[in-house]
């Protein structure tokens, strides 16, 4: 009796220490803001933060596993959730002006365009992220760039909240919520290859789709006669429409999940009436709502028919001997080898955690196929076939994009697949923990769970943000970098164009112009052109932009693969090249042309 009373008291004490560690971690990150461009968010964030963050996560997992009190377990998972929110919000805590290159800068420009009235939200194919950003800007009175970073944090919270709620609908036990939460904390859909924990419409749409997946699972298990099921249905319909607005192409990828469930319900109601699926609530109407919303939206905006046509054509060329997909992989592998990496090495760094979960899902599916007495089928409420058919459908889309060489799109499909794998993998972990607890002592099961989750969590989170560990540079955009570009654009002489390092300043021009569409008029100079001397290579004068990000990326992250340190240093020392602007993060050179 004394022991049972002391356990909750010890758990409460541990939780207090965990929350204190989390407060200390947040305070440490916030009190050490970035003073300039940072090549790696991990390396630039103080070690104290990582130590305290690790302590908070350990306490969260330890208490959640051992607590018999439901509220203590929920509080422990809440601690882990807040800690993960702090991890996802590190760019905000560290005072970054913006954290996203490429598409993110264009999205920020579009949000500014909507805000100043240059065009309407409905003029965009996917205005969801931009509209929410403006809402946050107005509601909290913060800068638009900071508001967009906050949107990413909020969607991250939605992701691990609804994954945690989804897994018990598949397999319910005392371990289900804990396994689901810590599986979600790994952010498996985020690979830093076309899916990012930064402003990126498709990536955030994948995180948002966790809400739809939860509502689908809740809906099919809800008796049609209950009033609450009608509320779930209304919520699902509203979420479906919101997803279409947020990113219609994500909905096109999500359709196999809805359609696959409908197909299985038809088949099982016709041929396997004794299976749990036969008694599930039909998803037909909800699928029709999603398809109707999708068709209405794309009818006004066109669709990605060009992308689909391109993918199909290239896929056919591949199978007829074109080999475009293989060439893309070979090119990337050659670049990695040139900077001292390897294709296998980067693959294991990026996907080792995903492979663990895919293996767990595979084992669970095999056990379901061999489930002669249907014990597992009943324990999982017949849900596993839904996931299997959905993953098969998404695998087909992945193959179409991959063999069609639609750059990066197959990794976005993979990200959506990993959302489903996270839920089903967590169910497999919960079931395994229950089975082991009947053979091993509770302490041994919890020790194995803490060790396993600790290893896989580190393997996954260390690649969520781009860093030199995976041969990528941080997309950190400093305020001085942006102000430097703004000054350059505002004082640009007529008929003098811009060029840049690796790419022109097109994305920064998107922010400055805040127009519908993308700027693509600016080019770049390569290393050999710099080596020969830039002056006189063009008839007209040109501006060359170079940021601290360019320097750190080319010299450190890419190990001088395309541009050497000496080439970048020599730019301002060559005849005919004059430095006209510099603020420490941004430099602007004027290159004399043959007519100058």
């Amino acid at each position: 009796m004394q022991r049972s009373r002391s356990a909750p008291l010890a758990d409460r004490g541990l939780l207090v220490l965990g929350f204190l560690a989390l407060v200390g971690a947040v305070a440490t990150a916030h009190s050490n803001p970035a003073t300039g461009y940072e090549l790696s968010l991990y390396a630039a964030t103080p070690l104290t933060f990582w130590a305290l963050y690790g302590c908070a996560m350990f306490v969260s997992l330890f208490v959640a596993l051992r607590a018999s009190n439901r509220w203590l377990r929920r509080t422990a998972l809440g601690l882990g959730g807040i800690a993960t929110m702090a991890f996802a919000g590190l760019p905000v805590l560290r005072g970054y002006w913006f954290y996203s290159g490429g598409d993110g800068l264009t999205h920020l420009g579009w949000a500014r365009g909507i805000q100043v009235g240059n065009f309407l939200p409905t003029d965009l194919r996917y205005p969801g992220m931009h509209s929410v950003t403006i809402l946050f800007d107005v509601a909290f009175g913060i800068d638009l760039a900071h508001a967009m970073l906050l949107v990413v944090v909020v969607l991250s919270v939605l992701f691990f909240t609804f994954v945690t709620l989804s897994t018990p609908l598949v397999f319910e036990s005392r371990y289900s919520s804990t396994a689901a939460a810590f599986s979600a904390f790994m952010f498996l859909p985020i690979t830093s290859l076309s899916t990012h924990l930064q402003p990126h419409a498709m990536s955030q749409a994948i995180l948002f789709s966790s809400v739809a997946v939860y509502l689908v699972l809740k809906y099919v298990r809800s008796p049609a006669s209950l009033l609450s099921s009608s509320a779930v249905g209304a919520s699902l319909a509203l979420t479906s429409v919101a997803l279409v607005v947020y990113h219609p192409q994500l909905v096109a990828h999500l359709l196999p999940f809805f359609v696959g469930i409908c197909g299985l319900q038809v088949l099982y109601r016709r041929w396997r009436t004794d299976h749990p699926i036969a008694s599930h609530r039909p998803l037909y109407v909800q699928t029709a709502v999603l398809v109707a919303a999708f068709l209405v939206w794309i009818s006004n905006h066109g669709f990605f028919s060009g992308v689909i046509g391109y993918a199909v054509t290239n896929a056919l060329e591949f199978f007829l001997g074109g080999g475009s997909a293989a060439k893309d992989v070979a090119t990337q592998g050659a670049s990695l080898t040139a900077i001292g990496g390897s294709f296998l090495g980067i693959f294991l760094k990026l996907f080792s955690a995903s492979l663990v979960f895919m293996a767990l899902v595979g084992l669970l599916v095999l056990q379901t196929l061999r489930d002669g007495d249907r014990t597992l089928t009943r324990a999982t409420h017949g849900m596993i076939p839904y996931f299997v058919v959905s993953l098969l459908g998404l695998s087909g889309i992945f193959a179409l994009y991959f063999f069609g060489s639609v750059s990066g799109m197959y990794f976005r499909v993979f990200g959506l697949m990993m959302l489903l794998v996270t839920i089903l993998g967590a169910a497999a972990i919960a079931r395994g923990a229950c089975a082991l607890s009947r053979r091993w002592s509770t302490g041994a099961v919890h020790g194995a769970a803490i060790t396993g989750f600790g290893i896989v969590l580190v393997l996954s989170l260390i690649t969520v943000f781009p860093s030199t560990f995976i041969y990528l540079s941080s997309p950190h955009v400093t305020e001085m970098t942006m102000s430097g570009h703004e000054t350059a654009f505002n004082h640009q002489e007529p008929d003098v164009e811009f060029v840049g390092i690796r790419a022109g300043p097109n994305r920064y021009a998107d922010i400055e112009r805040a127009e519908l569409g993308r700027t693509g008029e600016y080019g770049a100079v390569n290393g050999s052109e710099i080596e020969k001397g830039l002056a006189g290579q063009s008839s007209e004068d040109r501006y060359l932009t170079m940021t601290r990000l360019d320097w750190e990326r080319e010299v450190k992250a890419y190990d001088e693969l395309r541009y050497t340190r000496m080439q970048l240093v020599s730019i301002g020392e060559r005849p005919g090249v004059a430095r006209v602007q510099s603020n420490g993060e941004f430099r602007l050179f004027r290159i004399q042309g043959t007519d100058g």
Side-chain angles (χ1 to χ4, degrees):
M1 179 66 68
Q2 184 66 31
R3 184 178 179 181
S4 63
R5 289 179 178 177
S6 63
L9 184 61
D11 291 340
R12 291 188 181 96
L14 285 172
L15 286 174
V16 170
L17 293 177
F19 277 103
L20 288 175
L22 178 58
V23 170
V26 171
T28 299
H30 186 65
S31 61
N32 289 273
T35 57
Y37 173 76
E38 296 179 343
L39 182 62
S40 169
L41 179 60
Y42 297 102
T45 300
L47 183 60
T48 304
F49 169 85
W50 297 115
L52 293 173
Y53 164 76
C55 289
M57 293 297 284
F58 172 78
V59 169
S60 171
L61 179 57
F62 182 79
V63 175
L65 285 172
R66 67 173 245 152
S68 57
N69 183 287
R70 182 175 59 181
W71 293 106
L72 279 178
R73 188 180 304 127
R74 289 179 177 178
T75 302
L77 294 180
L79 170 62
I82 299 171
T84 305
M85 181 175 67
F87 171 83
L90 266 177
V92 178
L93 291 177
R94 297 287 321 290
Y96 282 18
W97 182 78
F98 198 59
Y99 187 77
S100 182
D103 288 351
L105 295 173
T106 300
H107 289 308
L108 181 57
W110 286 344
R112 284 185 169 179
I114 295 172
Q115 186 183 50
V116 300
N118 289 348
F119 51 89
L120 297 174
T122 52
D123 292 332
L124 287 173
R125 284 179 175 174
Y126 36 89
M129 181 174 68
H130 316 84
S131 301
V132 177
T133 296
I134 295 171
L135 176 64
F136 282 9
D137 170 68
V138 174
F140 302 115
I142 57 179
D143 183 81
L144 204 63
H146 297 158
M148 189 166 280
L149 294 180
L150 191 59
V151 171
V152 177
V153 177
V154 171
L155 288 172
S156 299
V157 173
L158 285 180
F159 168 73
F160 55 73
T161 298
F162 283 94
V163 167
T164 302
L165 293 173
S166 296
T167 298
L169 295 174
V170 178
F171 179 81
E172 189 171 2
S173 73
R174 68 177 298 257
Y175 294 112
S176 295
S177 295
T178 303
F182 276 84
S183 298
F185 295 160
M186 297 177 190
F187 288 108
L188 294 182
I190 305 300
T191 63
S192 291
L193 296 175
S194 297
T195 53
H196 314 278
L197 199 61
Q198 53 186 269
H200 183 259
M202 179 65 85
S203 300
Q204 273 65 72
I206 292 173
L207 299 181
F208 183 30
S209 63
S210 61
V211 182
V213 172
Y214 163 74
L215 290 172
V216 166
L217 299 178
K218 185 76 172 177
Y219 182 83
V220 297
R221 286 194 54 190
S222 300
S225 60
L226 291 181
L227 180 62
S228 62
S229 65
S230 299
V232 173
S235 299
L236 178 56
L238 183 62
T239 301
S240 297
V241 174
L243 268 174
V244 170
V245 175
Y246 210 95
H247 209 303
Q249 192 169 10
L250 182 279
V251 172
H253 299 162
L254 194 62
L255 281 175
F257 178 68
F258 280 76
V259 175
I261 290 175
C262 289
L264 286 175
Q265 288 179 336
V266 170
L267 293 174
Y268 278 85
R269 285 170 179 269
R270 180 73 173 84
W271 305 106
R272 297 280 299 277
T273 55
D274 59 336
H275 194 278
I277 288 179
S279 61
H280 285 173
R281 191 177 187 187
L283 195 64
Y284 314 143
V285 174
Q286 293 293 336
T287 302
V289 170
L290 180 65
V291 172
F294 175 72
L295 292 176
V296 169
W297 185 262
I298 65 173
S299 66
N300 294 326
H301 291 82
F303 186 49
F304 306 91
S305 56
V307 174
I308 296 173
Y310 179 79
V312 172
T313 301
N314 281 8
L316 290 174
E317 288 180 356
F318 173 82
F319 288 110
L320 293 175
S324 56
K327 290 179 181 178
D328 289 344
V329 173
T331 300
Q332 295 298 323
S335 297
L336 283 170
T337 302
I339 60 177
S342 68
F343 186 82
L344 177 60
I346 194 66
F347 178 83
L348 291 176
K349 287 179 180 180
L350 290 172
F351 300 112
S352 55
S354 299
L355 290 174
V356 170
F357 271 74
M358 291 167 71
L360 291 171
V361 168
L363 290 173
L364 184 62
V365 172
L366 286 176
Q367 289 179 346
T368 304
L369 294 175
R370 299 174 57 184
D371 186 30
D373 60 359
R374 296 190 181 179
T375 301
L376 180 57
T377 298
R378 289 191 296 272
T380 57
H381 310 284
M383 293 285 195
I384 294 178
Y386 290 155
F387 287 85
V388 172
V389 72
S390 301
L391 289 171
L392 288 175
L394 286 169
S395 297
I397 299 175
F398 178 94
L400 175 64
Y401 283 141
F402 178 78
F403 293 113
S405 292
V406 181
S407 178
M409 197 60 69
Y410 39 87
F411 284 118
R412 297 173 187 178
V413 177
F414 179 79
L416 183 57
M417 294 172 68
M418 292 315 299
L419 165 61
L420 302 179
V421 167
T422 299
I423 296 171
L424 205 54
I429 293 171
R431 183 177 182 276
C434 289
L436 290 176
S437 64
R438 291 191 290 269
R439 301 180 182 180
W440 298 358
S441 67
T442 301
V445 173
H446 293 175
I450 290 172
T451 302
F453 270 118
I455 294 173
V456 182
L457 192 66
V458 170
L459 290 174
S460 181
L461 293 186
I462 201 171
T463 60
V464 167
F465 295 113
S467 70
T468 52
F469 178 70
I470 52 175
Y471 306 103
L472 292 174
S473 58
S474 170
H476 177 197
V477 180
T478 66
E479 188 171 6
M480 293 178 69
T481 299
M482 188 63 233
S483 64
H485 279 93
E486 289 176 345
T487 301
F489 292 138
N490 291 334
H491 294 85
Q492 176 186 8
E493 291 188 19
D495 302 325
V496 180
E497 296 298 326
F498 287 93
V499 292
I501 302 297
R502 191 175 284 262
N506 294 299
R507 300 293 191 170
Y508 294 95
D510 287 342
I511 299 178
E512 178 66 17
R513 296 178 182 179
E515 297 174 350
L516 188 63
R518 296 183 177 181
T519 308
E521 63 193 74
Y522 303 134
V525 296
N526 57 44
S528 61
E529 289 175 322
I530 297 174
E531 193 78 36
K532 295 174 184 176
L534 294 173
Q537 293 188 19
S538 173
S539 59
E540 302 293 336
D541 285 7
R542 295 177 294 170
Y543 291 119
L544 170 65
T545 63
M546 185 166 69
T547 66
R548 187 67 186 176
L549 185 156
D550 294 329
W551 174 278
E552 298 281 342
R553 179 188 63 227
E554 302 303 330
V555 175
K556 296 182 180 178
Y558 295 163
D559 198 23
E560 305 183 56
L561 177 63
R562 292 190 184 179
Y563 304 85
T564 68
R565 179 190 297 267
M566 291 306 300
Q567 286 171 350
L568 297 179
V569 168
S570 68
I571 290 176
E573 300 174 352
R574 296 295 185 95
V577 178
R579 186 170 65 180
V580 297
Q581 184 184 332
S582 177
N583 65 9
E585 295 285 324
F586 172 86
R587 281 182 286 177
L588 180 69
F589 300 93
R590 180 161 181 154
I591 304 170
Q592 188 175 13
T594 55
D595 296 339

